[in-house]
Amino acid sequence: GESVGLHLPTLSVQEGDNSIINCAYSNSASDYFIWYKQESGKGPQFIIDIRSNMDKRQGQRVTVLLNKTVKHLSLQIAATQPGDSAVYFCAEFWGNTPLVFGKGTRLSVIA
Amino acid sequence: NAGVTQTPKFQVLKTGQSMTLQCAQDMNHNSMYWYRQDPGMGLRLIYYSASEGTTDKGEVPNGYNVSRLNKREFSLRLESAAPSQTSVYFCASSAGLPNEQFFGPGTRLTVL
């Protein structure tokens, strides 16, 4: 079946730089997307979400961009900090089924 | 407000043993979920309950059963544990299916 995928399994970023984590989705009917952060030994934690009628949404130091033309989702983290080191998952939703999670990208921040 | 709680935090079983993982939420959410996460992998949905009184299979239901005891509680049972079920199990809840899910801290299960 269709599933959420990720371009990069690992990403290393210098502290203070901006991070961009990418996610490809294959279901054009998906209408809701969420980014989660999972720190080591903990459960996933909501970061930001976006609906398909939007192209961009901003939070505190994070921005999610949605490009429906190429079915691409990205999470931008400004001024990356050591506390941002974690695994990041995108998840998509369509119809009346639960969220579908991607495999995740590990972000390592180099001090 | 504790959010989503899970018990136990850690468990070691022998092959063939049974056990039940408990999950409770205090957010008055309608929907609850059970996931497993293998090392270096994403979340795979085992079972979910869209609302009290209903349960549905997810991606990997074989070897598991669930019970939505009431609106607050959703348990996961392994009837005859196998080494392939060694994993971290996460429970989550949400107001409804198309909503943000809140996760518990996880149960780390090892089956020898």
Side-chain angles (χ1 to χ4, degrees), chain A residues 66-80:
Chain A
L66 176 62
N67 186 332
K68 295 180 285 293
T69 301
V70 295
K71 297 176 190 168
H72 185 266
L73 191 69
S74 68
L75 177 70
Q76 299 179 1
I77 304 173
T80 310

Side-chain angles (χ1 to χ4, degrees), chain B residues 3-4 8 10 13 17-18 20 23 28 30 50 57-58 65 71 78 82 86 96 102 109-111:
Chain B
V4 179
F10 300 93
L13 294 177
Q17 287 186 315
S18 62
T20 300
C23 173
N28 199 35
N30 291 312
K57 295 178 180 179
N65 285 301
K71 192 172 186 179
L78 287 71
T86 293
F102 295 80
L109 175 68
T110 300
V111 183

Side-chain angles (χ1 to χ4, degrees), chain B residues 55-76:
Chain B
T55 60
D56 285 286
K57 295 178 180 179
E59 180 186 356
V60 288
N62 291 345
Y64 305 96
N65 285 301
V66 290
S67 295
R68 183 73 184 267
L69 305 171
N70 48 55
K71 192 172 186 179
R72 288 189 64 248
E73 299 172 288
F74 189 39
S75 63
L76 178 72

Side-chain angles (χ1 to χ4, degrees), chain A residues 14 36 87 100:
Chain A
Q14 203 74 31
Y36 281 90
V87 177
V100 175

Side-chain angles (χ1 to χ4, degrees), chain A residues 32-43:
Chain A
Y32 179 52
F33 304 87
I34 300 180
W35 280 101
Y36 281 90
K37 174 185 181 182
Q38 186 177 24
E39 295 176 280
S40 182
K42 296 183 179 180

Side-chain angles (χ1 to χ4, degrees), chain A residues 15 19 21 28 68 79 92:
Chain A
E15 181 178 359
S19 302
I21 301 171
S28 58
K68 295 180 285 293
E92 64 178 315

